[in-house]
Amino acid sequence: MSTFASTAPAAKTSGSSAAPARARSGTRRGLLRWLFVAPALAYMALFFGYPLIRNIVMSFQHYTPKTYFTGEAPFNGLDNWRAVFADELFAGSLWHTALFTLGSLLGQFTIGLALAVFFSRRFRLSGFVRAILLLPWLVPMVVSAVVWRRILDQDHGMLNSALHAVGLTEGGVPWLNSPGVALLSAVLVNIWIGIPFNMVILYGGLQEIPRELHEAASLDGASPWRTFRSVTLPMLRPVVTVVLVLGFMSTVKILDLILALTSGGPADSTQTLGTVTYQLSFLQLDFGQGAVVGNVLILISAVFAVLYLRANRADFGKGQ
Amino acid sequence: MNPNANRRRLRAAWNTTAALLILGVLLFPVYWMLNTALQPGSSVAATEWFPSSPSLENFGTAISSQGGSLLTSFVVALGAVAVCLALAAPAAYGLAQFGLRGGRGIVFTTLITQMVPGIVIANALYSAYAELGLINSYLGLILADASLGLPFAIVLLRAFMVSIPGEVVEAAMVDGANRFTAFVRIVLPMSRNALITAGLFTFLFAWSDFMFALTLNTTDDVKPITLGIYQFVGAHVSDWGAVMATAVLSAVPAAILLVVAQKYISAGITGGSIK
């Protein structure tokens, strides 16, 4: 995002230079200009604005499967909120969401940064390999999850047979079948999916650091690690913030991956806010309680949206 | 040959080797998907490391059972691209060139919309769709999937259209064109590359969509491939060869995008990551 915002200088030039000439027939022309933007605005109001408001309203309504025949969903005050907050599943899902998100971000970011630094060296095939590495990010998430489900299968999975072949494990590891391991497996798969995204953005950030800075540091006798810590990381900080916040926003709401890997099981050990919302609304058909969890998800996202916008503030200043 | 150059060449060779090693490790699941898909014999428990006698048998099974879903995905994704570009192109032009009052706020809002969790949208859309009769319809899914690409398309196209000189359009208007025909005849052709990029990404987002496919359909009338493979795994978990062949087919658009839109992808990731 920041890339776009910062490549957009002087957006108003043509508009404002044209303005005085047309001031007289102004209002009609002004309205005509708005016609260009209006359809997209209407669509966004319907597909983003309306759901936000509707979710808040729904969270105070009592939905049952019957609602879809009768159309009646009476208001029930805070009943949905109380029911959701009293449910252990909600507390568990909140905790799993935190573990899943933080674990994923930590893994994706560390490996992504290491790869970005590695590919910043100039060598043959660097660009080619970097491009091909993007494939996991572009493949539909459900599809990746299905492939991993095969690899992680306890009895016939390739990972367990490989571990067995080199003598690391005796029996098969229950990657997806044991409550103690399943969430970790989901995190590992999501790290795999997220590495390309982190790598690409951090690589872009590294390219913008002037090479002379590194040369100067090495002339001063700084070790590569010291240079990385004292020159590269501080220069990279704005990009790091953006990567982490964007990563957070997309990870916290993940649904496809978990549904296709474990469906939230075993024993609800991989239930997250996203899967619980889905389960309450679309499996138990209690859209009111689903909306409550959805609102919690929005609230968490909103906090990080604010962080994101603060991180991007400089770019907005330059932009329009 | 001086020793320095030698050492540098050696180091470069090491780097290339390491890069290929990284590639091998990170892309192993993709290899495994292909490998499993190429090995016939549907209920074989242990997959061999290499497809010693590769066969396209699994792809035959995949197409006969999931071909319809692939077609559905294709239609829905193309529809989403059409809706998305029809809305985004004029809006991006308006925001880039008209200096509209409040334009900055709109760009800002566009960015924010990308942060609304999809499941929240689905939650509210379902009841609205139920009233409008849009559940289990192509139109309903197309309209919902267009939302995955719209904010990204607006931001990307706006960034491009900002650099179109206003005089070009002014000149066309002096010749008698109105603002709309000038937009269609001048601005759109000039923005061809940006439109293609935005379109490709919107296609990929819609093709990858699982959430709306899962929540806005209660029958199998409109079943995209993501939903197809999800149900396929649930029902035929023993026939992994066919499942993996389906997975390979559903990854084709990603592979095409990787080749066609190479240079735009990193920009796209930055902009589209928060879909």
Side-chain angles (χ1 to χ4, degrees), chain A residues 1 11 14-15 34 43 54-55 118 121 124 131 142-143 149-150 158 192 197 200 249 253 281 308-309 316 320, chain B residues 15-16 26 28 45 47 95-97 101 111-112 115 120 123 127 143 147 158 210 233 250 262 266 269-270 273 275:
Chain A
M1 203 69 58
S14 71
W34 274 102
Y43 179 91
R54 181 71 189 255
N55 254 271
F118 174 73
R121 300 176 186 174
R124 195 197 288 240
V142 176
V143 174
R149 194 164 135 179
R150 170 67 178 158
M158 169 270 138
W192 177 76
F197 164 70
V200 165
M249 310 277 326
K253 62 187 184 195
S281 291
Y308 171 72
L309 294 171
F316 275 107
Q320 242 207 334
Chain B
N15 283 335
T16 304
L26 282 183
F28 183 80
T47 310
L95 291 170
Q97 298 274 330
R101 198 168 295 171
L111 291 172
I112 298 273
M115 293 160 190
V120 169
N123 218 26
S127 48
L143 286 175
S147 75
R158 177 184 159 275
F210 174 66
V233 158
S250 60
Q262 233 322 303
S266 52
I269 287 188
T270 326
S273 58
K275 55 171 169 159

CSV table of all heavy atoms in Angstrom, one decimal, chain A residues 1 11 14-15 34 43 54-55 118 121 124 131 142-143 149-150 158 192 197 200 249 253 281 308-309 316 320, chain B residues 15-16 26 28 45 47 95-97 101 111-112 115 120 123 127 143 147 158 210 233 250 262 266 269-270 273 275:
chain,number,residue,atom,x,y,z
A,1,MET,N,0.8,-1.2,0.0
A,1,MET,CA,0.0,0.0,0.0
A,1,MET,C,0.8,1.2,0.0
A,1,MET,O,0.6,2.2,-0.8
A,1,MET,CB,-0.9,0.0,1.2
A,1,MET,CG,-2.1,0.8,1.1
A,1,MET,SD,-3.2,0.1,-0.1
A,1,MET,CE,-3.4,-1.5,0.7
A,11,ALA,N,-1.6,14.9,-7.2
A,11,ALA,CA,-2.8,14.3,-7.8
A,11,ALA,C,-3.7,15.3,-8.4
A,11,ALA,O,-4.4,15.1,-9.3
A,11,ALA,CB,-3.5,13.5,-6.8
A,14,SER,N,-4.4,18.5,-12.6
A,14,SER,CA,-5.2,18.8,-13.7
A,14,SER,C,-6.6,19.3,-13.3
A,14,SER,O,-7.1,20.2,-13.8
A,14,SER,CB,-5.4,17.5,-14.6
A,14,SER,OG,-6.2,16.6,-13.8
A,15,GLY,N,-7.1,18.7,-12.2
A,15,GLY,CA,-8.4,19.0,-11.7
A,15,GLY,C,-8.5,20.5,-11.3
A,15,GLY,O,-9.3,21.2,-11.8
A,34,TRP,N,-18.9,13.7,-9.9
A,34,TRP,CA,-19.2,12.7,-8.8
A,34,TRP,C,-19.8,11.4,-9.4
A,34,TRP,O,-19.6,10.4,-8.7
A,34,TRP,CB,-20.1,13.3,-7.8
A,34,TRP,CG,-19.3,14.1,-6.8
A,34,TRP,CD1,-19.2,15.5,-6.7
A,34,TRP,CD2,-18.6,13.6,-5.7
A,34,TRP,NE1,-18.4,15.8,-5.7
A,34,TRP,CE2,-18.0,14.7,-5.0
A,34,TRP,CE3,-18.3,12.3,-5.2
A,34,TRP,CZ2,-17.2,14.6,-3.9
A,34,TRP,CZ3,-17.5,12.2,-4.1
A,34,TRP,CH2,-16.9,13.3,-3.5
A,43,TYR,N,-21.4,0.8,-4.0
A,43,TYR,CA,-21.1,-0.6,-3.8
A,43,TYR,C,-20.4,-0.8,-2.5
A,43,TYR,O,-20.7,-1.7,-1.7
A,43,TYR,CB,-20.2,-1.1,-5.0
A,43,TYR,CG,-19.8,-2.5,-4.8
A,43,TYR,CD1,-20.5,-3.5,-5.4
A,43,TYR,CD2,-18.6,-2.9,-4.1
A,43,TYR,CE1,-20.2,-4.9,-5.2
A,43,TYR,CE2,-18.2,-4.2,-4.0
A,43,TYR,CZ,-19.0,-5.2,-4.6
A,43,TYR,OH,-18.7,-6.5,-4.4
A,54,ARG,N,-25.0,-3.8,10.2
A,54,ARG,CA,-25.9,-4.9,10.3
A,54,ARG,C,-25.4,-5.9,11.4
A,54,ARG,O,-26.2,-6.4,12.2
A,54,ARG,CB,-26.1,-5.6,9.0
A,54,ARG,CG,-27.0,-6.8,9.0
A,54,ARG,CD,-28.5,-6.3,9.1
A,54,ARG,NE,-29.4,-7.5,9.4
A,54,ARG,CZ,-30.2,-7.9,8.4
A,54,ARG,NH1,-30.3,-7.4,7.2
A,54,ARG,NH2,-31.0,-8.9,8.7
A,55,ASN,N,-24.1,-6.1,11.5
A,55,ASN,CA,-23.5,-7.0,12.5
A,55,ASN,C,-23.8,-6.5,13.9
A,55,ASN,O,-24.0,-7.3,14.8
A,55,ASN,CB,-22.0,-7.2,12.3
A,55,ASN,CG,-21.7,-8.6,11.7
A,55,ASN,OD1,-21.6,-9.5,12.4
A,55,ASN,ND2,-21.8,-8.7,10.4
A,118,PHE,N,19.0,-12.6,2.3
A,118,PHE,CA,19.8,-13.5,1.4
A,118,PHE,C,19.6,-13.2,0.0
A,118,PHE,O,20.6,-13.1,-0.8
A,118,PHE,CB,19.3,-15.0,1.6
A,118,PHE,CG,20.0,-15.9,0.7
A,118,PHE,CD1,21.3,-16.3,0.8
A,118,PHE,CD2,19.2,-16.5,-0.3
A,118,PHE,CE1,21.9,-17.2,0.0
A,118,PHE,CE2,19.8,-17.4,-1.2
A,118,PHE,CZ,21.1,-17.7,-1.1
A,121,ARG,N,21.6,-10.3,-2.0
A,121,ARG,CA,22.9,-10.5,-2.6
A,121,ARG,C,22.7,-10.7,-4.1
A,121,ARG,O,21.7,-11.1,-4.5
A,121,ARG,CB,23.6,-11.7,-2.0
A,121,ARG,CG,23.8,-11.7,-0.6
A,121,ARG,CD,24.4,-13.0,-0.1
A,121,ARG,NE,24.5,-13.1,1.3
A,121,ARG,CZ,24.8,-14.3,1.9
A,121,ARG,NH1,25.1,-15.3,1.2
A,121,ARG,NH2,24.9,-14.3,3.2
A,124,ARG,N,23.4,-15.2,-9.7
A,124,ARG,CA,22.6,-15.8,-10.8
A,124,ARG,C,21.4,-16.5,-10.3
A,124,ARG,O,21.4,-17.1,-9.2
A,124,ARG,CB,23.5,-16.8,-11.6
A,124,ARG,CG,23.0,-17.1,-12.9
A,124,ARG,CD,23.7,-18.4,-13.4
A,124,ARG,NE,25.1,-18.1,-13.7
A,124,ARG,CZ,25.5,-18.3,-14.9
A,124,ARG,NH1,24.8,-18.8,-15.8
A,124,ARG,NH2,26.8,-18.1,-15.2
A,131,ALA,N,10.9,-15.2,-7.6
A,131,ALA,CA,9.6,-15.2,-8.3
A,131,ALA,C,8.9,-16.5,-8.0
A,131,ALA,O,7.7,-16.5,-7.6
A,131,ALA,CB,9.7,-14.9,-9.8
A,142,VAL,N,-7.3,-22.7,0.6
A,142,VAL,CA,-8.0,-24.0,0.8
A,142,VAL,C,-7.2,-25.2,0.2
A,142,VAL,O,-7.0,-26.2,0.7
A,142,VAL,CB,-9.4,-24.1,0.3
A,142,VAL,CG1,-10.0,-25.4,0.4
A,142,VAL,CG2,-10.2,-23.0,0.9
A,143,VAL,N,-6.7,-24.9,-1.0
A,143,VAL,CA,-5.9,-25.9,-1.8
A,143,VAL,C,-4.6,-26.2,-1.0
A,143,VAL,O,-4.3,-27.4,-0.9
A,143,VAL,CB,-5.7,-25.4,-3.2
A,143,VAL,CG1,-4.8,-26.3,-4.0
A,143,VAL,CG2,-7.0,-25.1,-3.9
A,149,ARG,N,-2.7,-31.2,4.5
A,149,ARG,CA,-3.5,-32.3,5.2
A,149,ARG,C,-3.0,-33.6,4.8
A,149,ARG,O,-2.9,-34.6,5.6
A,149,ARG,CB,-5.0,-32.1,4.9
A,149,ARG,CG,-5.8,-32.9,5.9
A,149,ARG,CD,-7.2,-32.4,5.8
A,149,ARG,NE,-8.1,-33.5,5.8
A,149,ARG,CZ,-9.4,-33.4,5.7
A,149,ARG,NH1,-10.0,-32.2,5.6
A,149,ARG,NH2,-10.2,-34.5,5.7
A,150,ARG,N,-2.7,-33.8,3.5
A,150,ARG,CA,-2.1,-35.0,3.0
A,150,ARG,C,-0.7,-35.3,3.6
A,150,ARG,O,-0.4,-36.4,4.0
A,150,ARG,CB,-2.1,-35.0,1.5
A,150,ARG,CG,-1.4,-36.2,0.8
A,150,ARG,CD,-2.1,-37.5,1.1
A,150,ARG,NE,-1.4,-38.6,0.4
A,150,ARG,CZ,-1.5,-39.9,0.8
A,150,ARG,NH1,-2.3,-40.2,1.8
A,150,ARG,NH2,-0.9,-40.8,0.1
A,158,MET,N,3.5,-38.0,4.2
A,158,MET,CA,4.8,-38.1,3.8
A,158,MET,C,5.8,-37.6,4.9
A,158,MET,O,6.9,-38.2,5.1
A,158,MET,CB,5.0,-37.2,2.6
A,158,MET,CG,6.3,-36.9,2.1
A,158,MET,SD,6.8,-35.4,2.9
A,158,MET,CE,8.5,-35.9,3.3
A,192,TRP,N,4.3,-21.2,6.4
A,192,TRP,CA,4.7,-21.6,5.0
A,192,TRP,C,4.0,-20.7,4.0
A,192,TRP,O,4.6,-20.1,3.1
A,192,TRP,CB,4.4,-23.0,4.8
A,192,TRP,CG,4.7,-23.5,3.4
A,192,TRP,CD1,6.0,-23.7,2.9
A,192,TRP,CD2,3.8,-23.7,2.3
A,192,TRP,NE1,5.9,-24.1,1.6
A,192,TRP,CE2,4.5,-24.1,1.2
A,192,TRP,CE3,2.4,-23.6,2.2
A,192,TRP,CZ2,3.9,-24.4,0.0
A,192,TRP,CZ3,1.8,-23.9,1.0
A,192,TRP,CH2,2.6,-24.3,-0.1
A,197,PHE,N,5.0,-13.4,1.2
A,197,PHE,CA,4.5,-12.1,1.4
A,197,PHE,C,5.5,-11.3,2.2
A,197,PHE,O,5.9,-10.1,1.8
A,197,PHE,CB,3.2,-12.2,2.1
A,197,PHE,CG,2.7,-10.9,2.8
A,197,PHE,CD1,2.3,-9.8,2.0
A,197,PHE,CD2,2.7,-10.7,4.1
A,197,PHE,CE1,1.9,-8.6,2.5
A,197,PHE,CE2,2.3,-9.5,4.7
A,197,PHE,CZ,1.9,-8.5,3.9
A,200,VAL,N,8.8,-10.6,0.1
A,200,VAL,CA,8.7,-9.6,-1.0
A,200,VAL,C,8.7,-8.2,-0.5
A,200,VAL,O,9.4,-7.4,-1.0
A,200,VAL,CB,7.4,-9.9,-1.8
A,200,VAL,CG1,7.1,-8.7,-2.7
A,200,VAL,CG2,7.6,-11.1,-2.7
A,249,MET,N,-3.4,-8.3,10.3
A,249,MET,CA,-4.8,-8.1,9.8
A,249,MET,C,-5.3,-9.4,9.0
A,249,MET,O,-6.4,-9.8,9.1
A,249,MET,CB,-4.9,-6.9,8.8
A,249,MET,CG,-4.3,-5.7,9.4
A,249,MET,SD,-5.4,-4.7,10.5
A,249,MET,CE,-7.0,-5.1,9.8
A,253,LYS,N,-8.0,-13.2,11.0
A,253,LYS,CA,-9.3,-13.6,10.5
A,253,LYS,C,-9.3,-14.8,9.7
A,253,LYS,O,-10.3,-15.2,9.0
A,253,LYS,CB,-9.9,-12.4,9.7
A,253,LYS,CG,-9.1,-12.1,8.5
A,253,LYS,CD,-9.7,-10.8,7.8
A,253,LYS,CE,-8.9,-10.5,6.5
A,253,LYS,NZ,-9.1,-9.1,6.1
A,281,SER,N,-22.9,-18.9,13.3
A,281,SER,CA,-23.8,-18.4,12.4
A,281,SER,C,-24.3,-19.5,11.4
A,281,SER,O,-25.5,-19.6,11.2
A,281,SER,CB,-23.2,-17.2,11.6
A,281,SER,OG,-23.0,-16.1,12.4
A,308,TYR,N,-1.9,0.6,11.7
A,308,TYR,CA,-1.5,0.6,10.3
A,308,TYR,C,-1.5,2.0,9.7
A,308,TYR,O,-0.6,2.5,9.1
A,308,TYR,CB,-2.4,-0.3,9.5
A,308,TYR,CG,-2.2,-0.2,8.0
A,308,TYR,CD1,-1.1,-0.7,7.5
A,308,TYR,CD2,-3.1,0.4,7.2
A,308,TYR,CE1,-0.9,-0.7,6.1
A,308,TYR,CE2,-2.9,0.5,5.9
A,308,TYR,CZ,-1.8,0.0,5.3
A,308,TYR,OH,-1.6,0.1,4.0
A,309,LEU,N,-2.6,2.7,10.0
A,309,LEU,CA,-2.7,4.1,9.5
A,309,LEU,C,-1.7,5.0,10.1
A,309,LEU,O,-1.1,5.9,9.4
A,309,LEU,CB,-4.1,4.6,9.7
A,309,LEU,CG,-5.2,3.8,8.9
A,309,LEU,CD1,-6.6,4.2,9.4
A,309,LEU,CD2,-5.0,4.0,7.4
A,316,PHE,N,0.5,9.1,3.5
A,316,PHE,CA,-0.7,9.8,3.2
A,316,PHE,C,-0.4,11.3,3.0
A,316,PHE,O,-1.0,12.0,2.2
A,316,PHE,CB,-1.7,9.6,4.3
A,316,PHE,CG,-2.5,8.4,4.1
A,316,PHE,CD1,-2.3,7.3,4.9
A,316,PHE,CD2,-3.4,8.3,3.1
A,316,PHE,CE1,-3.0,6.1,4.7
A,316,PHE,CE2,-4.1,7.1,2.8
A,316,PHE,CZ,-3.9,6.0,3.7
A,320,GLN,N,-2.3,12.2,-1.6
A,320,GLN,CA,-3.2,13.2,-2.1
A,320,GLN,C,-3.2,14.5,-1.3
A,320,GLN,O,-3.3,14.4,-0.1
A,320,GLN,CB,-4.6,12.7,-2.2
A,320,GLN,CG,-5.0,12.6,-3.6
A,320,GLN,CD,-6.5,12.7,-3.8
A,320,GLN,OE1,-7.2,12.3,-3.0
A,320,GLN,NE2,-6.9,13.2,-5.0
B,15,ASN,N,25.9,-19.1,-3.5
B,15,ASN,CA,24.6,-18.4,-3.3
B,15,ASN,C,23.6,-19.0,-4.1
B,15,ASN,O,22.4,-19.3,-3.7
B,15,ASN,CB,24.7,-16.9,-3.6
B,15,ASN,CG,25.4,-16.2,-2.4
B,15,ASN,OD1,25.3,-16.6,-1.3
B,15,ASN,ND2,26.0,-15.0,-2.7
B,16,THR,N,23.9,-19.3,-5.4
B,16,THR,CA,22.9,-19.9,-6.3
B,16,THR,C,22.5,-21.3,-5.8
B,16,THR,O,21.3,-21.6,-5.8
B,16,THR,CB,23.5,-20.0,-7.7
B,16,THR,OG1,23.9,-18.7,-8.1
B,16,THR,CG2,22.5,-20.5,-8.7
B,26,LEU,N,11.1,-25.0,0.3
B,26,LEU,CA,9.9,-24.3,0.4
B,26,LEU,C,8.8,-24.7,-0.6
B,26,LEU,O,7.6,-24.6,-0.3
B,26,LEU,CB,10.1,-22.8,0.3
B,26,LEU,CG,10.7,-22.1,1.5
B,26,LEU,CD1,10.9,-20.6,1.3
B,26,LEU,CD2,9.8,-22.3,2.8
B,28,PHE,N,8.5,-27.8,-1.6
B,28,PHE,CA,8.3,-29.2,-1.5
B,28,PHE,C,6.8,-29.6,-1.6
B,28,PHE,O,6.4,-30.5,-2.3
B,28,PHE,CB,9.0,-29.8,-0.3
B,28,PHE,CG,8.8,-31.3,-0.2
B,28,PHE,CD1,9.6,-32.1,-1.0
B,28,PHE,CD2,7.8,-31.9,0.5
B,28,PHE,CE1,9.4,-33.5,-1.0
B,28,PHE,CE2,7.6,-33.2,0.5
B,28,PHE,CZ,8.4,-34.1,-0.2
B,45,ALA,N,-1.8,-46.3,-0.3
B,45,ALA,CA,-1.6,-45.6,1.0
B,45,ALA,C,-0.3,-44.8,0.9
B,45,ALA,O,-0.2,-43.7,1.3
B,45,ALA,CB,-1.5,-46.6,2.1
B,47,THR,N,2.7,-43.0,-0.9
B,47,THR,CA,3.0,-42.4,-2.2
B,47,THR,C,4.5,-42.5,-2.4
B,47,THR,O,5.3,-42.4,-1.5
B,47,THR,CB,2.6,-40.9,-2.1
B,47,THR,OG1,1.3,-40.7,-1.7
B,47,THR,CG2,2.8,-40.3,-3.5
B,95,LEU,N,-11.0,10.0,-8.7
B,95,LEU,CA,-10.2,10.3,-7.5
B,95,LEU,C,-8.8,10.9,-7.9
B,95,LEU,O,-8.2,11.7,-7.2
B,95,LEU,CB,-10.0,9.1,-6.6
B,95,LEU,CG,-11.3,8.6,-5.9
B,95,LEU,CD1,-11.1,7.3,-5.3
B,95,LEU,CD2,-11.7,9.6,-4.9
B,96,ALA,N,-8.3,10.4,-9.1
B,96,ALA,CA,-7.0,10.8,-9.5
B,96,ALA,C,-7.0,12.2,-10.1
B,96,ALA,O,-6.0,13.0,-10.0
B,96,ALA,CB,-6.4,9.8,-10.5
B,97,GLN,N,-8.0,12.5,-10.9
B,97,GLN,CA,-8.0,13.7,-11.8
B,97,GLN,C,-8.9,14.8,-11.4
B,97,GLN,O,-8.7,15.9,-11.9
B,97,GLN,CB,-8.2,13.2,-13.2
B,97,GLN,CG,-7.2,12.3,-13.7
B,97,GLN,CD,-6.0,13.0,-14.3
B,97,GLN,OE1,-6.1,14.1,-14.8
B,97,GLN,NE2,-4.8,12.3,-14.3
B,101,ARG,N,-13.8,17.3,-3.7
B,101,ARG,CA,-13.8,17.6,-2.3
B,101,ARG,C,-14.0,16.3,-1.5
B,101,ARG,O,-15.0,15.6,-1.8
B,101,ARG,CB,-14.8,18.6,-2.0
B,101,ARG,CG,-14.6,19.3,-0.7
B,101,ARG,CD,-15.5,20.5,-0.6
B,101,ARG,NE,-15.2,21.6,-1.6
B,101,ARG,CZ,-16.0,22.6,-1.7
B,101,ARG,NH1,-17.1,22.8,-1.1
B,101,ARG,NH2,-15.7,23.6,-2.6
B,111,LEU,N,-9.0,2.2,1.7
B,111,LEU,CA,-8.0,1.4,2.4
B,111,LEU,C,-8.6,0.7,3.6
B,111,LEU,O,-8.3,-0.5,3.8
B,111,LEU,CB,-6.8,2.3,2.8
B,111,LEU,CG,-6.0,2.9,1.7
B,111,LEU,CD1,-5.0,3.9,2.2
B,111,LEU,CD2,-5.3,1.8,1.0
B,112,ILE,N,-9.4,1.4,4.4
B,112,ILE,CA,-9.9,0.8,5.6
B,112,ILE,C,-10.8,-0.4,5.3
B,112,ILE,O,-10.8,-1.4,6.0
B,112,ILE,CB,-10.8,1.8,6.3
B,112,ILE,CG1,-9.9,3.0,6.8
B,112,ILE,CG2,-11.5,1.2,7.5
B,112,ILE,CD1,-9.2,2.8,8.1
B,115,MET,N,-9.9,-4.0,5.6
B,115,MET,CA,-9.6,-4.6,6.9
B,115,MET,C,-10.8,-5.2,7.5
B,115,MET,O,-10.8,-5.8,8.6
B,115,MET,CB,-9.0,-3.5,7.8
B,115,MET,CG,-7.7,-3.1,7.3
B,115,MET,SD,-7.2,-1.5,8.0
B,115,MET,CE,-5.7,-1.2,7.0
B,120,VAL,N,-17.4,-11.5,8.7
B,120,VAL,CA,-18.4,-10.4,9.2
B,120,VAL,C,-19.3,-10.0,8.0
B,120,VAL,O,-20.5,-9.9,8.1
B,120,VAL,CB,-17.6,-9.2,9.8
B,120,VAL,CG1,-18.6,-8.1,10.0
B,120,VAL,CG2,-16.9,-9.6,11.0
B,123,ASN,N,-21.6,-12.8,7.2
B,123,ASN,CA,-22.7,-12.9,8.2
B,123,ASN,C,-23.9,-12.0,7.9
B,123,ASN,O,-25.0,-12.5,7.9
B,123,ASN,CB,-22.1,-12.5,9.5
B,123,ASN,CG,-22.5,-13.3,10.7
B,123,ASN,OD1,-22.9,-14.4,10.5
B,123,ASN,ND2,-22.5,-12.7,11.9
B,127,SER,N,-28.1,-12.8,5.4
B,127,SER,CA,-29.5,-12.5,5.7
B,127,SER,C,-30.1,-11.5,4.6
B,127,SER,O,-31.2,-11.6,4.2
B,127,SER,CB,-29.7,-12.0,7.1
B,127,SER,OG,-28.8,-11.0,7.4
B,143,LEU,N,-21.1,-10.6,-7.2
B,143,LEU,CA,-21.1,-9.3,-6.5
B,143,LEU,C,-20.3,-9.4,-5.2
B,143,LEU,O,-19.6,-8.5,-4.9
B,143,LEU,CB,-22.6,-8.9,-6.2
B,143,LEU,CG,-23.4,-8.5,-7.4
B,143,LEU,CD1,-24.9,-8.2,-6.9
B,143,LEU,CD2,-22.8,-7.2,-8.0
B,147,SER,N,-16.0,-7.7,-4.2
B,147,SER,CA,-15.6,-6.9,-3.1
B,147,SER,C,-14.1,-7.2,-2.7
B,147,SER,O,-13.4,-6.5,-2.0
B,147,SER,CB,-16.5,-7.1,-1.9
B,147,SER,OG,-16.3,-8.3,-1.2
B,158,ARG,N,-5.8,4.2,-9.4
B,158,ARG,CA,-5.7,5.6,-9.1
B,158,ARG,C,-4.2,6.0,-9.1
B,158,ARG,O,-3.8,7.0,-9.7
B,158,ARG,CB,-6.2,5.9,-7.7
B,158,ARG,CG,-6.1,7.3,-7.3
B,158,ARG,CD,-6.5,7.6,-5.9
B,158,ARG,NE,-5.9,8.8,-5.3
B,158,ARG,CZ,-4.7,8.8,-4.7
B,158,ARG,NH1,-4.1,7.7,-4.6
B,158,ARG,NH2,-4.2,9.9,-4.3
B,210,PHE,N,-13.0,-18.7,-0.7
B,210,PHE,CA,-13.7,-19.9,-0.1
B,210,PHE,C,-14.8,-19.5,0.8
B,210,PHE,O,-15.9,-20.1,0.8
B,210,PHE,CB,-12.6,-20.7,0.7
B,210,PHE,CG,-13.2,-21.8,1.5
B,210,PHE,CD1,-13.7,-22.9,0.8
B,210,PHE,CD2,-13.2,-21.8,2.8
B,210,PHE,CE1,-14.3,-24.0,1.5
B,210,PHE,CE2,-13.7,-22.9,3.5
B,210,PHE,CZ,-14.2,-24.0,2.9
B,233,VAL,N,-12.5,-33.6,-0.4
B,233,VAL,CA,-11.6,-34.1,0.6
B,233,VAL,C,-12.4,-34.8,1.7
B,233,VAL,O,-12.1,-35.8,2.2
B,233,VAL,CB,-10.7,-33.0,1.2
B,233,VAL,CG1,-10.2,-33.4,2.5
B,233,VAL,CG2,-9.5,-32.8,0.3
B,250,SER,N,-6.5,-26.4,-9.8
B,250,SER,CA,-7.0,-25.1,-9.2
B,250,SER,C,-5.9,-24.2,-8.9
B,250,SER,O,-6.1,-23.0,-8.6
B,250,SER,CB,-7.8,-25.4,-7.9
B,250,SER,OG,-7.0,-26.1,-7.0
B,262,GLN,N,4.4,-11.1,-13.7
B,262,GLN,CA,5.7,-11.0,-12.9
B,262,GLN,C,6.0,-9.7,-12.2
B,262,GLN,O,6.0,-9.7,-11.0
B,262,GLN,CB,6.8,-11.4,-13.9
B,262,GLN,CG,7.7,-12.5,-13.5
B,262,GLN,CD,8.0,-12.6,-12.0
B,262,GLN,OE1,8.4,-11.6,-11.4
B,262,GLN,NE2,7.6,-13.7,-11.4
B,266,SER,N,4.9,-7.9,-6.9
B,266,SER,CA,5.2,-7.4,-5.5
B,266,SER,C,4.4,-6.2,-5.2
B,266,SER,O,4.0,-6.1,-4.0
B,266,SER,CB,6.7,-7.1,-5.5
B,266,SER,OG,7.1,-6.3,-6.5
B,269,ILE,N,1.1,-7.7,-4.1
B,269,ILE,CA,1.1,-8.3,-2.8
B,269,ILE,C,1.0,-7.2,-1.7
B,269,ILE,O,0.2,-7.3,-0.8
B,269,ILE,CB,2.4,-9.1,-2.5
B,269,ILE,CG1,2.3,-10.4,-3.3
B,269,ILE,CG2,2.5,-9.4,-1.1
B,269,ILE,CD1,3.4,-11.3,-3.0
B,270,THR,N,1.7,-6.1,-1.9
B,270,THR,CA,1.6,-5.0,-1.0
B,270,THR,C,0.2,-4.5,-0.9
B,270,THR,O,-0.3,-4.2,0.2
B,270,THR,CB,2.5,-3.8,-1.4
B,270,THR,OG1,3.7,-4.4,-2.0
B,270,THR,CG2,2.9,-3.0,-0.2
B,273,SER,N,-2.7,-7.7,-0.1
B,273,SER,CA,-2.5,-8.7,1.0
B,273,SER,C,-3.6,-8.7,2.0
B,273,SER,O,-3.8,-9.7,2.7
B,273,SER,CB,-1.2,-8.4,1.7
B,273,SER,OG,-1.3,-7.1,2.2
B,275,LYS,N,-6.7,-8.5,1.7
B,275,LYS,CA,-8.0,-8.8,1.1
B,275,LYS,C,-8.9,-9.4,2.2
B,275,LYS,O,-8.4,-10.1,3.1
B,275,LYS,CB,-7.9,-9.7,-0.1
B,275,LYS,CG,-7.2,-11.0,0.2
B,275,LYS,CD,-7.3,-12.0,-0.9
B,275,LYS,CE,-6.3,-13.1,-0.8
B,275,LYS,NZ,-6.6,-14.3,-1.5
